[in-house]
Structures are given as structure tokens and as C-alpha cells.
Amino acid sequence: NSGTPPRRSATPHRRPMQPHPHSTSKEATMIDRYSRPEMARIWTLENRFRAWLDVELAVCEAWHRLGVIGADDMRVIREKADFDVDRILEIEQETRHDVIAFLTAVEEKVGPSARFIHLGCTSSDIVDTANGLLLAQAGELILKGFERLLSTLEALAFANKGRLCMGRTHGIHAEPTSFGLKMAGFHAEFQRHVARFRDGLESVRVGKISGAVGTYAMLDPRVEAIACEILGLAVDPISTQVIQRDRHAHFFTSLALAAGGVERLCVELRHLQRTEVLEAEEGFAKGQKGSSAMPHKKNPISAENMTGLSRLIRTNSLAAMENMALWHERDISHSSVERVIMPDSTILMDYVLHRLSGLLSNLRVIPENMDRNLAGSYGLYYSQRVLLALVESGMARQEAYVMVQRCAMQSWETRKPFPDMVRADADIAARLAPSVLDELFDPGYYLRHENMIFERVFGRS
């Protein structure tokens, strides 16, 4: 951490609406716009240094239990160990090393007993273990966001169960589905995202107190075990001077996959709000404006915004994977990257999950337009049912296909109902009785397994 790069601070210490002196205006804008208070607090300098101090104190407690730090010195460390952020930043201007600046500021508070603080440790013992604490804090908030989104999707799915709408492939009318099934599909996907993220979170919920190159040469491995137990972290079975960054890549790629799911859902909502479709639209608040030039506009701005933010989260995962290859036992090429992606990705994912839940809670579903769009293809979506009925009557599949396609093209070109074309076709009439055709043209048929799918996704229908 020597030659410290510019530090990120989600809510800068004691100056909540101004960027940290090392931050750019772009970074401050990102932070101010997207940080929710609970997540912003995690990435303050105050909380970052507090996590460092928690690690240092846990290490001291371990040495105390092993008899290295006496009771009197341990009492002084517990009572006096503290810091002032501004003092750390002042010292860092001279040392150009953030951990040394932090330790110096703490030593000024503690006095002679501070000689036991950081005993046998290297900077990464503290920073990497503290990052495990910070990412765990951020991860728990993200899990709450996932839970809210899943609850919102479940409510929307059940509210629209049986609500027939057009299914589309390639953007073209295919066969009917239900809006409830659409939302159930997204719910199932986000269940998988949650499972992957939980695994990624556990990957980084680890600590290491193993010394300069991970050999415990200046430490007792029991110190690491005791300190990590105090902190609620697992012990990294083998570390170098750092915790290997495949763990962090796991965390950030799980966020990236979830961001892909967010974008997939937002793209669906954006398509459904197009004027020609308009089966659903974002809530539009009183006094809201859609365009500076066109007063009539109501745009899917939330879904578009989240589409863009999802791209940022995915991009950051690439940086996390690039961090995996460090020189030998460590270098610091990963450090500057993580000062950006740790706060940014967690802040953005937390924000996106809650904003998406809000969008869905206020989503306007428009059944009459779903009915209009179903009618817009003249019943052509019944084509496969007629095809299979002809095959079941004994006709060769390709022969039947040509026969049904002929009726379908006539329907599309003449804008006349496909069922009428089928009933008027002498070749089909010779094979399928009118009563059979009546059964084939029942739209409810397409939802006959909806209950079963809901049972699979939600455990209830």
C-alpha cells in the first residue's frame, strides 16, 4: 500500500456533501447519486479505518490469550485504541502509506502499550481481513435487496396469474403465455442469482493473519485462528501476503451475473412499454416530465437507467478477474482497482435492486392492451395446435405443415382470422371435424400447466 492511490469514500468523513480531497468530481457524483444510507456508511473512511482497528484489536486479543500481551497492556489497548480520520490523513501526506499513517494515529492515542499493536503483522493482514468484514457488511445489505426483489416479483406473478398475453420470439408473436408466468420466470432466475451471490459472499468472508509472505514466520498460526473467530470470519487455509483474488472475483462475478438478470428484466419492461405494445409501463408521478421538448412523453427511464448501471457492474467484474494474477506472493496492482470496484459495485447493486423493486411495485399492467395484441395476429398462434391435430389424424408432418402454413399466410396477407381460414380449407375440413376445431381454438389451453409451473417456482400455485 506504499504510494497510496486516490482513496474512495462513499460518504466522506465529516463532509457529507463534498468529495474527499483525493476524489474526482465524477466519483463524488456516482457516490451521491446512488448510495443508499446504510450502504454509504460502510464505505466511509471512518468505517474503513474502524474495520482496520477491529482487526488489530482481534490480533491483540489473540496474543493476549496466548500470554504475549499482559493484562495491563491489553486493558490499555482496549480502552484507548482509537483514531481520528483527519489525523490519519495528515500523517499520510508525509508517510504516503495509509496503514502506517493509521498505526501512527492509533499509537498516539494508546501510548507505550501500542508497541504490541500490529505485532508480527504485515499491512495486508489487516487490509485484506478488514475487506472481508466490509464486503460481508455490504453483502448482507445486498441480500436484503434480493429478498425484497424476490418478494415483489412473487406478488406480481400471483397478481397476474392467468392474465393471458402474447409470448414473443425474435420479437414476433409466437404463442400465448401469461404475464404471471413472465414474472415467475424472473423470480426463478433471481433465486439462482441469490444462491450464486451467497456462495460469492462466503468466498470473501475470510481473513488472513499469516505475515509477510504467508509463512507465519513472525506469528503463531493460533493468532490467526483466534482473531478470525473473534471477527466472525473463516481462516484462509493458505495465503501469500494476500488472500488470493479468485475469492474476490467470485464475489464480483456473482454480482455481474445478477446485473445481467436485472438488465434482462429491464429490457423486457422497456419493450413492453413501447407505444406499439404498451402492455405495461412504469409508474408516472404527478408533476413528472418525460421530455423537455415533447410534453406527451412517458419514457421507461428507470429501466433504462438500470440497464446502464448493470453494464458498470459487469465491467467491474472484469477488473476483479484481472486482479487474480499478481506477481509472486503479491504486488499492489489490485489495490487501486479494489478501492474503486468494492464501493462502486456494492453501492450500485444495492441501489439497483431496491430501485427495481420500486419500479415493479408501481408497474402499471394494462390487460386491455394485452388482449388487443393477442388479437393483432388474427389467431395465428393457434397454428401449432392445428398442425399437431393433423399429425394425430395420420397425416405426414411436413404435408400438414405446408397445409397449415398456407392458411397462416392467407390470414396474414388478408388480415382475416386464422381460425376462419382453417375452417374454410377443404383439405383440413376433411381431416378435422368442426367440434375438434372449436377445441383447438381455445386460448385457455395455453395455460393448462400454469399451476404446475407456479408450484415448481414458488412451492404453491
Side-chain angles (χ1 to χ4, degrees):
N1 300 342
S2 173
T4 308
R7 182 183 293 106
R8 307 276 293 183
S9 173
T11 305
H13 175 69
R14 296 181 181 174
R15 292 177 289 274
M17 295 309 294
Q18 299 176 12
H20 182 270
H22 292 286
S23 300
T24 67
S25 58
K26 173 262 176 188
E27 292 166 346
T29 300
M30 170 80 76
I31 288 161
D32 293 342
R33 182 173 179 85
Y34 296 113
S35 289
R36 295 183 339 108
E38 301 95 327
M39 184 64 79
R41 183 196 64 79
I42 292 172
W43 299 110
T44 60
L45 289 176
E46 172 74 32
N47 194 58
R48 182 174 185 237
F49 292 138
R50 188 64 56 192
W52 289 8
L53 186 59
D54 287 344
V55 176
E56 294 283 9
L57 289 174
V59 171
C60 287
E61 291 286 353
W63 281 124
H64 172 58
R65 294 183 191 181
L66 296 174
V68 175
I69 301 178
D72 290 341
D73 285 315
M74 193 66 230
R75 184 184 67 256
V76 172
I77 291 171
R78 291 187 190 119
E79 292 175 354
K80 293 187 176 182
D82 203 356
F83 58 84
D84 179 85
V85 173
D86 290 331
R87 178 59 179 147
I88 294 173
L89 298 178
E90 180 184 359
I91 297 169
E92 189 182 352
Q93 292 298 314
E94 178 181 347
T95 64
R96 307 304 296 169
H97 194 295
D98 51 359
V99 175
I100 292 175
F102 164 78
L103 290 169
T104 303
V106 173
E107 289 168 6
E108 291 175 351
K109 299 277 189 181
V110 174
S113 296
R115 68 187 184 277
F116 293 109
I117 297 176
H118 206 67
L119 186 64
C121 294
T122 188
S123 296
S124 291
D125 288 329
I126 308 309
V127 174
D128 273 14
T129 304
N131 282 343
L133 294 175
L134 296 173
L135 289 173
Q137 292 174 21
E140 292 300 328
L141 288 182
I142 289 171
L143 285 174
K144 290 180 180 179
F146 275 123
E147 290 168 4
R148 181 185 173 194
L149 178 59
L150 286 171
S151 178
T152 305
L153 282 168
E154 182 172 354
L156 196 58
F158 276 93
N160 292 278
K161 185 171 176 285
R163 177 59 257 172
L164 208 66
C165 65
M166 199 67 244
R168 299 171 176 87
T169 58
H170 306 275
I172 308 300
H173 285 201
E175 290 184 352
T177 181
S178 77
F179 196 75
L181 283 173
K182 280 180 179 281
M183 295 300 106
F186 286 111
H187 187 282
E189 177 180 346
F190 276 95
Q191 287 178 314
R192 296 190 295 274
H193 291 312
V194 171
R196 282 187 287 260
F197 179 69
R198 287 186 185 278
D199 288 343
L201 179 55
E202 293 312 307
S203 287
V204 296
R205 206 192 295 264
V206 296
K208 62 88 62 180
I209 310 293
S210 57
V213 292
T215 61
Y216 303 93
M218 308 300 167
L219 285 156
D220 185 324
R222 292 176 294 173
V223 170
E224 180 181 61
I226 294 169
C228 286
E229 181 182 11
I230 291 170
L231 296 168
L233 300 174
V235 172
D236 190 3
I238 180 170
S239 55
T240 57
Q241 194 172 95
V242 295
I243 292 171
Q244 281 79 27
R245 261 41 194 181
D246 64 289
R247 293 181 176 274
H248 301 75
H250 186 183
F251 180 90
F252 288 104
T253 52
S254 69
L255 288 181
L257 286 169
V262 169
E263 182 168 358
R264 189 175 83 87
L265 177 47
C266 287
V267 167
E268 176 72 15
L269 297 175
R270 289 165 61 193
H271 280 305
L272 293 178
Q273 188 163 337
R274 286 183 297 131
T275 305
E276 295 82 359
V277 179
L278 202 57
E279 295 181 2
E281 66 177 356
E282 295 182 9
F284 199 76
K286 184 178 180 181
Q288 184 175 340
K289 305 294 188 291
S291 166
S292 63
M294 296 169 284
H296 70 280
K297 293 298 292 297
K298 290 165 64 176
N299 302 322
I301 56 171
S302 290
E304 291 173 336
N305 179 261
M306 288 183 280
T307 296
L309 296 181
S310 295
R311 295 168 185 168
L312 283 177
I313 295 169
R314 291 200 299 278
T315 298
N316 285 349
S317 73
L318 296 176
M321 287 187 282
E322 293 294 326
N323 275 353
M324 290 171 60
L326 304 179
W327 285 20
H328 304 295
E329 278 59 55
R330 65 94 56 130
D331 58 53
I332 64 165
S333 60
H334 65 289
S335 177
S336 54
V337 175
E338 289 171 354
R339 290 172 191 268
V340 175
I341 68 174
M342 284 184 179
D344 274 10
S345 290
T346 53
I347 284 170
L348 290 177
M349 181 54 72
D350 179 64
Y351 171 84
V352 162
L353 290 173
H354 286 279
R355 185 169 181 185
L356 183 54
S357 295
L359 187 164
L360 294 172
S361 296
N362 295 291
L363 187 70
R364 181 185 172 219
V365 179
I366 312 174
E368 59 269 27
N369 288 351
M370 294 179 181
D371 294 339
R372 179 201 67 194
N373 291 334
L374 280 165
S377 57
Y378 315 105
L380 287 168
Y381 49 78
Y382 291 120
S383 67
Q384 184 174 193
R385 291 214 67 196
V386 178
L387 169 64
L388 295 181
L390 289 171
V391 171
E392 289 170 4
S393 74
M395 182 176 286
R397 181 182 178 87
Q398 292 308 312
E399 182 182 354
Y401 191 103
V402 171
M403 192 179 296
V404 175
Q405 187 181 47
R406 181 179 67 235
C407 291
M409 296 302 103
Q410 288 174 352
S411 171
W412 187 247
E413 291 167 3
T414 63
R415 299 298 191 253
K416 293 180 180 179
F418 174 72
D420 292 351
M421 297 290 102
V422 171
R423 289 188 176 99
D425 189 284
D427 294 331
I428 294 178
R431 287 276 184 172
L432 303 176
S435 60
V436 173
L437 292 175
D438 289 342
E439 291 181 6
L440 295 179
F441 301 135
D442 173 17
Y445 180 86
Y446 293 95
L447 300 185
R448 63 197 181 107
H449 297 303
E450 187 181 41
N451 282 342
M452 178 272 294
I453 298 173
F454 268 67
E455 285 281 356
R456 285 179 173 177
V457 175
F458 302 108
R460 63 189 180 93
S461 63

